[in-house]
Each structure stands twice: as structure tokens, then as C-alpha cells.
Amino acid sequence: MADYKPQELDKKWQAHWTSSKAFEVDVDASRPKYYCLEMFAYPSGHAHVGHVRNYIIGDVMARTKRMRGYNVLHPFGWDAFGLPAENAAIKTGTHPETSTLDNIAHMKGQLQRLGISYAWDREIATCLPDYYKFNQWIFLKMLERGLAYRKRSTVNWCPVDNTVLANEQVIDGACWRCGSIVEPRDLEQWFFKITEYADELLAGLDTLTAWPEKVVVMQRNWIGRSEGAYVKFALADPSVVSGFGRTKDVEGSSGVSRTDHVEVFTTRIDTIYGANFIMLAPEHPLVERFAAASSDPAAFRAKAQAFRSQERDVRMGGKQGFDTGQRAINPFSGKPVPIWVANFVLWGYGTGAVMGVPGHDERDFEFARAYNLPITIVVQRADAPLSAETMTEAHAGEGSLVNSDKYNGLPWEEANRVMTADARARGIGEGTVQYRLKDWGISRQRYWGTPIPVVHCAKHGVVPVPYAELPVKLPQITTFTGRGDSPLAQVPEWVNVTCPTCGGPARRETDTMDTFVDSSWYFLRFCDPKNDEQPFDPADAAYWMPVDFYSGGVEHAILHLLYSRFFTRVLRDVGLVAFDEPFTRLLTQGMVLKDGAVMSKSKGNVVDPDDMLQKYGADALRLYVMFVAPPEKEVEWSDAGLEGSFRFLMRVWRLVDHWCETIGGEGIPESGTDCTDAERGLRRKTHETIRRVTGDVEERMHLNTAVSSLMELVNELYSFSEGTAHGAPSRVAAEAGRVERAQTIAVLREAIDGLVLMLSPFAPHMAEELWERLGHVGGLAKASWPSFDPEV
RNA sequence: GCCGGAGUGGUGAAACUGGCAGACGCGCGGGACUCAAAAUCCCGUGGAGUUAACGCUCCGUGUGGGUUCGAUUCCCACCUCCGGCACCA
């Protein structure tokens, strides 16, 4: 009897896969393709079992699809730019490139030791010039198309990481990475115009039927489309602001307000007769105008300023505001209404001014009650009529209009349509669509990222670096201060260049790109990773894309996936791809917890896969992680569970070891129909298992039940063996070969071959070894997935 | 507050289209093997009751109702937990 020595098998077969280039693939139009991808890794140093779970999930899929006859692309790479490496450099002095490449080497080794079937010949690292060259290439294309633009704006500044954050990277007013409170800061920044694609990104969500509903909903909310109308309220005393220009021209707003009126955005124009006041965001430019016109401008400004700084804490302090003393004319009722400044009105959304309809908006109701502003019912419901005096909450729902002149009696939704049209006809308003989604600020004042490929010329302003001069390589720097200004500005010989247009002196842009740029198209680069002319050959992408199966953490449900969908559309418009959606099927894998908490170095609760490999080998770890729960679910790590999976593999090993002499080799008869009851029972179990495992892996992605089906088959085989060879395999090894009946051998062979094949995506090292011992030539690379006969 | 998802033995979980609840594993109990242990193999393992015994009966999928011959699954109300968003007008 041969012993099961997992570590030796791991080595043997990993070497075999490498030398035979088992997982390297080329475009082959004669075969169906399958692109299986796991989100590439940030090279933090060591992968723990939580990271590794994702790669095993993808590997089971990739290996299964290969056996099902697909030409499988299963690549891997490194999201290698980013803050942690640079922060480490500030602390330790080690250059980010050094630490990053070291980390990549270590983690690559970890993945190889797990036997993940990657096409390593396609490996990419975003920090290498041959990759980020095409970040720059794409940037220039976006610049040409007006999709990259520069703007002075108030940005989210993280005082600890010393950099700008995208809106998406600010969580509860704090930095997503380090948790420090974000400060506003005015800077010239580069933006990508993702809002141009807002409608398309929203509509595309409906086609993503193989994405988790949760992710689709999160994206939909994030884009935050709402239909409404701009409405102008004329100022009762326009002289306070005469001669002043636009009041609002910010991202996300197409509204143009002149200062002889206040323009509001509302989704409920049908309630406008109940608009008893106007509220401005503290940042609104009219506030300053009103201050100047007031009796005590300094006090006025101080009040507004106080609300502005409180903005983040509105929920704590409640709704507050003050009357500016100015009046505006409600364009529908013709009545003058007071203009207030309110701390909860957002400057960054709509027009930064809203109409206050306390009867029909919860927030306005609260504000009106706090400051004793009048409430008017304008939408009355039939069942339980409202009264302004007694109502305890706003009625935001349905009803018919009252107190609204000629619109009285109209159902609210119809009134909304009619009044929007009327406002437009009268030139006092217009239907519009607003999005929560903002353009994507990509400038970072950091070193370890892609240089933005433009120069600033005194004569010509912003001038793109010519394509032929790409990549703009990161200069070597030796000191990392973390001061907060762009580190690239320290390198004069790099910064000072000549203008490509006039040859005069110019300065390079010293900001680098947000690392989310890197990850927004890497899946396309894998199609053609060595291309030096363009990001990828469109023909290669046409064959491999879209990604058929994509798995990764749910934390990327919004940022990465939305940006990738955006980039795909941009590259479509550039003419490189012919589809809209990059990822057909998405799986968000659950985290692995230890002691009830997410694994992290700082908590000291990480499980290093290498420790498990030393004890049990790669197959047991792979099998356990797949068996413990469905892939989407969070799981608690359990040493005992891993032990159980190891025991199961031992059971399989002994079983096959027992039978391989008897059933192995060539010339075994096909499993037929002339069976005893026991044989028929085993055949039935075999075919049922094939059906279940195939469905569980390919369709349902219930890898845990796929494994349990295999366990059942093994149990059945043990029982069958008992009836055949009078005892459990371990005890009757000497009796192997006792079976004389050809039919028994055939049935056993069918079952055991099937078992080994179906086990191979989960435990590939052992499966290869057993397959070889069963007398099959050519390895599992040549084997195909078993099929089942419903008749059986 | 709004939007998602979940709640099943001691435990991780399963039940795919409304059809034997708890597959498979862990743990635990018992047995075989052994001088002994480990490993391995076999049997048992939701609760209560009942039988000399094979068995049989009742209860049981967060709570309360409902639809149905039949509900973990569908409907209504509620509770709890997890995740996301959070004055977006």
C-alpha cells in the first residue's frame, strides 16, 4: 500500500504543470472560450486564507470548465500601486518598488504552492511601465474626448494619508483607508467624466442578471438617478444682487442660476403651492450677497459659516438655519416666501437650494416646526384627511391636489407632469434628471502611482504628452517625507521639460493617478498582456471578453465594478471593444473570520495558508475551504474542519489504492446494464453524483454541496467494497484482486474514475496522482468531465 | 429612517420547482482492533412520550396568523441579527 504524502504530491504535480505549461492558452476560434477571473491582488506581503478562498473558488471553476472542453483563460496579476507601499517607505525608507516586488514574489509562491491553475505567462503588475503606459494612453484618449478634465474644486483631503480622496472613498466623512476625518481643500484636480455615462451605467444594470441582486442595488443607489424639475423663484428685491453672474456651475449640475432669482431642484413640483419658504445651502453664493446687503454682514457670515462647518454633524445637532431677511416669489402661487439658510441643504447636489414644503416633506416639516414656519396642505388624501394644525408628520405620499388654484383635484403624479410642462412653457422651470454620482477625481499627490501624462506650458497651458513618448516613467526618488505635496515635484530634472507644442519651458504634471484607474481595465490587458502598441489587441479582447466568471470581495461592489463598467464603455467608444458590460457573472465571496473577526495582521488572527500546507497539503486546505460553506457566505475558520477534509482525502486515497490494481490498466469492459442489485445501486449513485456535482459547480456555485455529494459517493463505495471484498479497504488490501466478475470491475471503475475526475478541481494534486495510478495516460489535462445517463 | 439579505440540532450547514426536515462534515456517545494509545473501521446522535422488542405517537425550521391535501419553501403582521445607503429635496 502506498502512503499518502500530500507535500510530495504537491511538489511533483506543480512542477509538472509548470513544465508542461498546462494552463497557458491561446486564442482558438474553433473552441468555446471561458474567461475565469478572480479580482487581482494588492501585494500586501502575505496572503491569508481569507484571500486565498477567492482564488480557490475561481480555480475550481477554471479547472471544471477546462474538463468541460472550454478554452479557459485564467490569469492573475497584481494591483501593485498604492498607499501602503508608500507609507511603508515613509516609515522604513524602503523604496516602494522594492517592497512591492518582494511581496509579489512571496505571494506568487503562496498561490503556486496552492496549485491554483493560473496562466502565469500572462501575469501583470500595474506598477511596471509596460502596464501603466496604457493607463496614460487611456488617459490621453479620455482627454481627447473631453472625458478627462481639470477643475479647481473643493476636494476631500485626508490629513493622515496626505492625499485627495474620491467621494467614493469617503465614508461617514472619514477616510476609507485610515479612518481620519476628511477636510475640505481647494485644489486643481483631474476628473474623469463618469457622469456622462450615468444613464447608460444605470440602464446596463438591468442586463446583469447573473450578478448578485445586492450589488446591482448598491450600484443603482450609488448612481442615484432622480427625476424632477428646476424651478426659479424670483427675488422680491433683486437689487441686492444685481450685476452678479452665475451662482452655480459645479459638477453634477447643469443648472444655471442668475442672481435675480433662486433656482431650486425638486422632485415634487406638484407640491409647490405648499412651498412656504426657500432654503439655501450655507455655501450658496447668494448667501454672501445677502450678507453684504444685511445690516451686520460680519455676523451674517459668521452664522452661515457655522452651519457650513457643522455640515457633517447635522444628524447630531438637528436641523438648524436662519432667516436671511430676503424674500422670493413663489412662481405658481405668486406669494412671497422667506429665504432661509439651512445646515442640512447640500451644496453638492441639485442647485444647492430647495423649496421648503413642510406639509409633504419630512425634513421640511421638522424644520418648519422648529422655527414656527407655516404649513399648508396641498396634497390631500382621500382615506384620512390631513389638517395642517394636527398633523404629526409630513404626508409624502399620494393624493390629490388642494389649495393649488387650477390644479386642484389632479392626482399628484399627473399634477407633477402637468406643472413641469407649465413651468417650462412659462420659462420658470424645466424638467431635469439629477444623479448622486459625481465625476471621478483621480489626482493624487503621491509618488507610487501612474504619472499623469501632461505638461504645463506657460504659453499653451495643459499639453498632452505625445503618444510616442509614453510611458512617462516614474522617476527614482530616495526620500519619502509624507509631507503632502506631490513627491514628484522634488525631482527637477524630471519636472522641467520642454513643451511638445512650442519647445518652450514647461513643467510636468506632478500628480499621479488614483490606483482605481489601474484596476478599471486590467481584465482587458490579460487578453493581450505583452502588447507594446496599444492596451490590447481588439481581436484578442473580442475572443476572450467579456469575463464569464468574476469573483472577489463585496467591498468592491461599488467602486471597482462601477469604474470598470465605465472604462469598458469608454474603450468601446474609442473603438477597442464592441460590448458594454465587462463581467457577465459575478460572485462576491464571503470573508473568512477567525475568532469572530476579520483576519488582519494587526489583530494577529491570520491563518497563513503555508502553515496549513505543511501539515495537510494543498488539497486538504482547498477542499476544506470549499466545503465549509457556500462561497458567498462568511465563514469561521476551524482547524477541526480542515482535519475532517484531510480525513476524507485519506479515505479516498485508501479506497483508490485498494482498487487501482484490480480495475486499473487498459482493456476494462465498459460499465454495462447486466448488473446485480448492488452494482445497479452503485451505478445509480455514480450517475446521480455526476449530475449533482456538475450542476452544483457550474450553475449554482454551491461548491460545499458538490463536495458533500462526493463524500456520499465515497461512503457508497466503501459499503459496496464491503459487500464485494468482505471488509473495509484498509483491512483487506491483501484481498485486492479477489473480484472476478467483469461487471463489478466495470461498475467500480466507472465510479472511481468519476470520483477522481470530479474531485480534481478541488484536490488536483491527489487527483492527478490517482488518475495516473489508475492507469490513465496523459494526465488530467487530457481527461474530460464525466457525463451522466438519466436512465441509470 | 430607507434598501437588501438572513434566522433550521451541541456545531458548520443541506433540503434545486410547495412533497419523507436536518444530507454531508465537525463534535459527542458506544463498539471493534490494540498490552495500551494513536490512527482506522462499524453503530448511534433534534426533543418529548410509549413499547419486552421490531417499532409507534406527538412536537419541532425566529414569533403570531393565513393559503394549501401538504409550507423551511408562498402570503400578511411582527421580532432579532448582518450588510449597504443615509437629510440627495
Side-chain angles (χ1 to χ4, degrees), chain A residues 450-527:
Chain A
T450 303
I452 293 173
V454 300
V455 301
H456 300 274
C457 167
K459 248 193 223 153
H460 297 98
V462 171
V463 181
V465 172
Y467 285 96
E469 289 176 25
L470 299 183
V472 175
K473 286 197 187 174
L474 267 181
Q476 279 298 318
I477 68 170
T478 49
T479 47
F480 294 88
T481 64
R483 268 202 322 260
D485 47 350
S486 299
L488 296 183
Q490 300 169 27
V491 192
E493 60 278 20
W494 184 85
V495 172
N496 296 313
V497 291
T498 53
C499 169
T501 305
C502 66
R507 287 176 54 85
R508 281 195 195 282
E509 170 70 56
T510 56
D511 285 354
T512 53
M513 296 182 200
D514 183 0
T515 54
F516 275 96
V517 174
D518 311 350
S519 55
S520 295
W521 67 282
Y522 77 103
F523 43 90
L524 288 158
R525 182 68 177 172
F526 278 134
C527 298

Side-chain angles (χ1 to χ4, degrees), chain A residues 616 623-624 627 639-649 711:
Chain A
Y616 303 103
L623 191 81
Y624 164 64
F627 175 60
D639 288 330
L642 175 57
E643 192 107 28
S645 293
F646 181 72
R647 275 206 288 269
F648 167 70
L649 287 176
M711 288 173 168

Side-chain angles (χ1 to χ4, degrees), chain A residues 412-477:
Chain A
W412 66 299
E413 283 165 310
E414 188 185 342
N416 203 299
R417 283 191 294 275
V418 171
M419 292 165 83
T420 301
D422 287 359
R424 181 181 164 81
R426 291 170 52 200
I428 52 157
E430 187 154 19
T432 182
V433 175
Q434 291 286 315
Y435 297 94
R436 287 188 47 199
L437 183 69
K438 299 284 186 292
D439 279 342
W440 173 14
I442 61 149
S443 296
R444 298 290 181 273
Q445 291 69 47
R446 298 294 293 215
Y447 170 76
W448 194 228
T450 303
I452 293 173
V454 300
V455 301
H456 300 274
C457 167
K459 248 193 223 153
H460 297 98
V462 171
V463 181
V465 172
Y467 285 96
E469 289 176 25
L470 299 183
V472 175
K473 286 197 187 174
L474 267 181
Q476 279 298 318
I477 68 170

Side-chain angles (χ1 to χ4, degrees), chain A residues 19-80:
Chain A
S19 65
S20 64
K21 301 186 191 309
F23 312 122
E24 299 183 10
V25 287
D26 288 309
V27 168
D28 177 357
S30 71
R31 291 168 65 203
K33 65 90 183 180
Y34 195 82
Y35 187 173
C36 179
L37 184 65
E38 299 98 62
M39 290 182 188
F40 68 168
Y42 179 77
S44 57
H46 295 258
H48 59 62
V49 293
H51 302 119
V52 148
R53 183 185 190 191
N54 188 33
Y55 311 136
I56 300 173
I57 293 166
D59 199 41
V60 169
M61 199 54 150
R63 286 177 179 271
T64 304
K65 287 291 180 180
R66 268 187 213 109
M67 294 172 80
R68 301 281 285 165
Y70 290 89
N71 190 22
V72 174
L73 176 60
H74 189 216
F76 199 69
W78 309 97
D79 189 14

Side-chain angles (χ1 to χ4, degrees), chain A residues 4 645-655 718 766:
Chain A
Y4 174 44
S645 293
F646 181 72
R647 275 206 288 269
F648 167 70
L649 287 176
M650 290 286 286
R651 238 165 109 74
V652 173
W653 179 267
R654 283 193 306 270
L655 179 77
Y718 265 74
M766 172 185 274

Side-chain angles (χ1 to χ4, degrees), chain A residues 29 83 92 203 260 321 415 452 483 608:
Chain A
L83 284 177
T92 66
D260 57 350
I452 293 173
R483 268 202 322 260
D608 188 325

